[in-house]
Structures are given as C-alpha cells and as structure tokens.
Amino acid sequence: MPRASLFEDSIYSTNGTWTSPEFAAASSNGNYIRYWFQNNTNEDVRVYFYRTDKSTSEYASMMIVSANDQNYAIYHNSTAGSGTYKIVVEAYTSGNIISGDVAAAQYISRPNL
C-alpha cells in the first residue's frame, strides 16, 4: 500500500507532449516513489520523471510505455521524500496525440508490485 498518493490525472494532448504540475513528497512517507502510466494510444510514449528541487534540469528516471499498455517505474533516493517532482509524457515517434492516465505514489519501502 502506498503511504501517500502524490498525483493522479487523466491526460490528453494533441501536441506530442504533456507536463504535469509540480507535486511534493513528504519526508515522513518514505523515499520510494512509484510513477505509472496507462497509454491509451496506438504508439509508444516516453514518460519522464523529473525532480524539480535540484539544480539539474535532467530527468531522474524514464520509462517507455508501449501502445495501449501500462508500465511503472520506481524512483529511489535517500532524500526522495523531501523532493518536488513533475511528470512529462512524450509521443516521441510521431509527436501526435497523448492520452491516458498517470499517477505517482510514495512508499516507505520498495513496493512489491
């Protein structure tokens, strides 16, 4: 069970990319963050997980989600519980429509999913 739900939304974009608003973790809820995406399109997408409270602009984690499928990844860092984050979904092949559901949750220990 997640200690806290950090973000969830149903998304749709016609310009090939979608970016979530920033959301914050709480240090008392652990240092493991699972992010998930359900892809409702006919093409693969990349899902980037950015940590926004650090000076670097690079993503902290990335996963590919196949067409009409779902996937998740887990970000872990000794200070993850005190970070702020955003998720970016990219239709990297065509730059067309993005549609699906996205979520992030925080855990005390590595989730066994």
Side-chain angles (χ1 to χ4, degrees):
M1 290 279 301
R3 183 69 175 227
S5 175
L6 300 176
F7 180 80
E8 60 183 278
D9 200 1
S10 292
I11 68 170
Y12 184 84
S13 173
T14 58
N15 68 0
T17 189
W18 175 89
T19 302
S20 76
E22 287 188 7
F23 52 91
S27 60
S28 61
N29 292 330
N31 290 318
Y32 292 86
I33 300 175
R34 175 187 180 256
Y35 62 104
W36 167 86
F37 184 67
Q38 168 66 52
N39 185 0
N40 295 335
T41 69
N42 291 323
E43 72 173 274
D44 298 350
V45 298
R46 287 187 184 124
V47 181
Y48 297 93
F49 188 74
Y50 284 88
R51 183 158 181 180
T52 58
D53 62 309
K54 300 284 188 178
S55 60
T56 180
S57 63
E58 294 182 7
Y59 59 90
S61 178
M62 188 273 294
M63 67 178 172
I64 293 177
V65 183
S66 299
N68 296 300
D69 200 1
Q70 62 180 317
N71 197 6
Y72 72 88
I74 298 169
Y75 170 70
H76 175 259
N77 181 288
S78 63
T79 61
S82 60
T84 57
Y85 303 94
K86 71 178 178 181
I87 296 172
V88 176
V89 181
E90 175 190 38
Y92 65 94
T93 302
S94 69
N96 287 329
I97 293 172
I98 294 170
S99 177
D101 297 300
V102 64
Q106 190 175 357
Y107 295 78
I108 297 265
S109 59
R110 184 171 181 82
N112 295 322
L113 306 170

